[in-house]
Amino acid sequence: MSETRVGICKVCWAACPIEVTVENGRAIKVVGDRQSPIYGGYTCPKGRAMPEGHYAPHRLLHSQRRRADGTYEAIPTAVAIAEIAEKLRAIIDKHGPEAVGLFPGNGNLSNPLNPVMGAMFIMAMGTYPDRFFSVQTIDQAGKVIAQALHGRWNAGPTPFSSAETWMLVGTNPVISKLGLPVNPGQAIKEAVKKGMKLIVVDPRQTESAGNAFMLIQAQPGQDPTLLAGFIHVIIAEKLYDADFVRDNTRGFDELRKQVEPFTPQHVAAVTGVAVDQILLAARTFANAKSGCVVTGTGPHFALHGTLVEYLALCMNTLCGRWQRAGEIQGLPHVLLPDVDIRAQPMAPYQPWDLNIRNRINDLPRTIVGAPTGTLGDQILTPGEGQVRALICSGSNPMVSLPDQMRTAKALQSLELLVSIDVEMSNTARMADYIIPDKMSMETPAVTQFTESMQYYGSWTGGFEQPYAMYSPPTVAPPAGSDCIESWEFLYEIAKKLGKQLVYHVNGAGAGEHWDQYPVPVPLSLERRPTSEEMFEFMCIGSRVPLAEVKKYPHGHVFSELTSVVLPRADDWEAMLELADATMMSELGEVFRLDGDTALPSDEFPLLFTPRRANEFMNSIGRMNIKLNSKRSYNPAFLNPIDLDRFGIAVGDVISIHSQFGNIFGVAESEPKLRAGTLSMAHCFGPNPDEDSDPRVQGGCTSRLMSADAEYDPIFGQPRMGAIPVKIARLDDQRRDVVVG
Ligand SMILES: Nc1nc2c(c(=O)[nH]1)N[C@H]1C(S)=C(S)[C@@H](COP(=O)(O)OP(=O)(O)OC[C@H]3O[C@@H](n4cnc5c(=O)[nH]c(N)nc54)[C@H](O)[C@@H]3O)O[C@H]1N2
Ligand SMILES: Nc1nc2c(c(=O)[nH]1)N[C@H]1C(S)=C(S)[C@@H](COP(=O)(O)OP(=O)(O)OC[C@H]3O[C@@H](n4cnc5c(=O)[nH]c(N)nc54)[C@H](O)[C@@H]3O)O[C@H]1N2
Ligand code: SF4
Ligand SMILES: [Mo]
């Protein structure tokens, strides 16, 4: 018997509606739901390969306990939970609750309850935020910090679909969906057809740049100089929105002074972009009536992420690219609360506390959680507060945490490592216990998380229409399995340790910028709520009741909710800050040092840069036979000029060395990559003690990074991009051949 069920893919946050063909209780095929009112049947390969993931022979269906000889045995999940709780209790009794850390990752997207419960768990332990090691601080935490320093425009940015221009700085939404969850390829194509002038700043001609008006292939890592140069031109040529600046900002004169030295000639010399390109980009952006500049992981990984984002916010503010009173709300709430949205700033605030210092690198406490880049050293450094137990909830730090050698040493030295995963990932292979989670199609889904992504930064998500969808699970976990969801596991552990969990529901905002504060709901420790009950909590006070959303199995656009942005309140005094002192001092330093100091040299002639693969979500999907059949590794993309220069042919295995480590890669040609750049995806490769075949597992780029050589001074993110490297071809015996 075959039937079709409708669900939502949760492999990434794009939340594509899917049509699942189910036979005898098993999903056999996934396609996009063509009845969706806004996605038009769109999905990507990762979503369509979910059946191969759910029923993979290597999928974990039972909890695993490590034996003394390093092999694993299956045990009942209830037994695993009891043993883990006992071990945690002993560790806490001996060393205090600071000895327990949590690392939530992208596998948590399988249920929107997971990431929130992770934070609640650490709060219940009394160690939030210092023991909450989220991926945010090895991603784009600079977005949150910069928004705090600049202030947030309550009504949000101008919408994408009707914008006259758009500037993507080191973000590739066609692959990543960052900021554009609904069929980004189509969205960009349509916008350009309507006249949008798309400007892409990226060392590659990305999949998002196909219809671009301009592609600016600046030297990696030099984005702060480039953006400061754009601002220089916008101010010098008086292309900014003087009324908006007068009414809503402070610090204009100081910003003008700080960007004065960033002349087009200086910017051209630092970034390698021609003067006329710099002028054309700045003028095109500023002369348009609408459109934003948006940044992504590319520039955020090259150390000045906060500054890059801050300058992007300043550019948007100078050009008045925020929604005004009377306009139709661009990112309307549906499953978020019903709140007034006004054309006014939310005041800047200090996102760090200099009086509370981290035991590693003396970093301040910040609003973005613990500095995850320090996790290795939190475990390895003896003394008060040393982390001795780590719970990895849908995360894979063995390949995702910068500095793999240090990570390996650290994870090996733990008293307890628990991995909640669906397969023997690089991290699970080192764990004492592995807990099998349910997968995306086995859990209910709701679009609230994607809606709330709009608060993460400027144009990082949300829906342009008042759209929402809920779906029940489409299939049950395989018969005979003993899976438990990540959030349920954490609930059970808290219960056994007698820690009260307080769930925070349906807030809208981040940091100190709240349109509505979340409501704390203490969870009963007598009976574990169901996912459905938790969804009801999550949506308390939503603009449309969850029950109403459930009436539309394919999702629905609640057109009647279309509402306009309200005017600034009469007594409202907050202003956006154009010249935050910390940011201006960093900008001064960037000028003094002639930009990012990571430059190609005779010894390390190339710059390594990050990118993302369409078939994989970080490491998710690497073992999926449908996704890895074409290629299971991460190629080392090089411009043909560099292939020639170093005597390398496509398909050759090469060694890649940075100052900190080396990996193997498989050379691939990318003619539209900036010469002098080595572009590679992350979260591949083996663990240090495992056999390595680069043509099978690829290379773990985090080995090229050091956790403590260079890092963001606020949230401790190590340099993860614009890393000087050298390459060499390996002969068949894998001996280094001296080239270049
Ligand atoms: N060198 C380098 N390092 C990077 C980056 C980079 O570009 N370059 N990017 C950084 C960024 S932006 C991020 S966000 C992090 C990502 O860091 P992580 O989140 O740690 O990495 P993922 O590979 O997404 O880890 C997901 C894990 O969840 C498991 N999983 C899959 N499905 C499920 C499920 O349904 N339930 C559960 N419980 N687990 C599941 C997978 O098997 C995998 O082990 O990496 C960061 N690290
Ligand atoms: N298919 C797929 N989707 C994903 C993921 C995935 O692994 N696969 N990961 C998810 C995660 S965790 C995240 S955080 C988002 C990230 O979303 P994005 O930030 O959009 O990530 P990328 O697609 O890697 O785009 C980054 C771009 O920056 C460019 N770049 C590299 N270095 C520099 C630089 O120094 N300056 C500039 N200007 N550009 C540079 C790269 O060439 C690349 O095109 O994607 C998410 N979506
Ligand atoms: S992985 Fe993301 S983009 Fe792909 S189908 Fe799933 S939700 Fe959509
Ligand atoms: Mo990420």
Side-chain angles (χ1 to χ4, degrees), residues 509-576:
E512 288 179 18
H513 290 149
W514 290 94
D515 287 337
Q516 180 165 300
Y517 284 100
V519 186
V521 180
L523 293 184
S524 158
L525 291 183
E526 297 299 308
R527 180 184 70 83
R528 189 171 81 210
T530 62
S531 277
E532 287 301 330
E533 287 167 337
M534 289 298 291
F535 273 34
E536 293 293 339
F537 279 146
M538 231 165 60
C539 297
I540 290 173
S542 60
R543 203 161 168 216
V544 177
L546 182 58
E548 182 65 20
V549 173
K550 285 182 177 179
K551 289 182 188 159
Y552 302 92
H554 300 279
H556 187 65
V557 176
F558 294 86
S559 316
E560 67 281 9
L561 293 186
T562 302
S563 38
V564 295
V565 174
L566 300 172
R568 187 183 181 115
D570 288 341
D571 55 350
W572 198 256
E573 287 179 356
M575 292 285 192
L576 298 172

Side-chain angles (χ1 to χ4, degrees), residues 46 139 170-172 176 201-202 204 221 223 297 610 612-613 616 618:
K46 300 182 291 300
D139 188 330
T171 174
N172 184 14
S176 71
V201 180
D202 200 297
R204 314 167 39 219
D223 303 271
T297 48
R612 271 154 172 76
F616 309 102
N618 310 314

Side-chain angles (χ1 to χ4, degrees), residues 244-256:
F244 186 84
V245 169
R246 183 196 60 226
D247 294 345
N248 298 293
T249 73
R250 58 175 190 235
F252 177 78
D253 290 338
E254 181 62 19
L255 177 66
R256 177 171 49 196

Side-chain angles (χ1 to χ4, degrees), residues 38-91:
I38 64 171
Y39 284 79
Y42 173 79
T43 50
C44 85
K46 300 182 291 300
R48 296 192 293 272
M50 279 194 287
E52 285 75 7
H54 279 54
Y55 308 112
H58 62 259
R59 168 153 182 210
L60 286 176
L61 297 172
H62 297 274
S63 288
Q64 306 291 314
R65 179 173 59 199
R66 195 183 177 94
R67 298 193 187 97
D69 66 359
T71 60
Y72 286 92
E73 61 189 326
I75 57 170
T77 295
V79 172
I81 289 171
E83 291 186 10
I84 291 165
E86 257 336 287
K87 291 191 168 157
L88 286 172
R89 188 192 302 280
I91 289 171

Side-chain angles (χ1 to χ4, degrees), residues 13 106 135-136 138-140 178 297 301 456 612 617-618 682:
W13 50 70
N106 288 275
V135 285
Q136 189 172 25
I138 48 169
D139 188 330
Q140 299 153 86
L178 189 68
T297 48
F301 284 179
Y456 180 53
R612 271 154 172 76
M617 171 77 177
N618 310 314
H682 60 294

Side-chain angles (χ1 to χ4, degrees), residues 8-18 30 32 39 42-48 50 174-177 181 183-184 440 614 617:
I8 298 176
C9 174
K10 285 163 282 166
V11 175
C12 84
W13 50 70
C16 301
I18 48 170
V30 170
Y39 284 79
Y42 173 79
T43 50
C44 85
K46 300 182 291 300
R48 296 192 293 272
M50 279 194 287
V174 167
I175 300 299
S176 71
K177 307 351 165 206
N183 193 349
S440 176
N614 200 27
M617 171 77 177

Side-chain angles (χ1 to χ4, degrees), residues 42 85 91 180 209 265 271 299 312 550 636 683 694:
Y42 173 79
I91 289 171
L180 287 176
Q265 291 68 26
T271 62
K550 285 182 177 179
C683 280

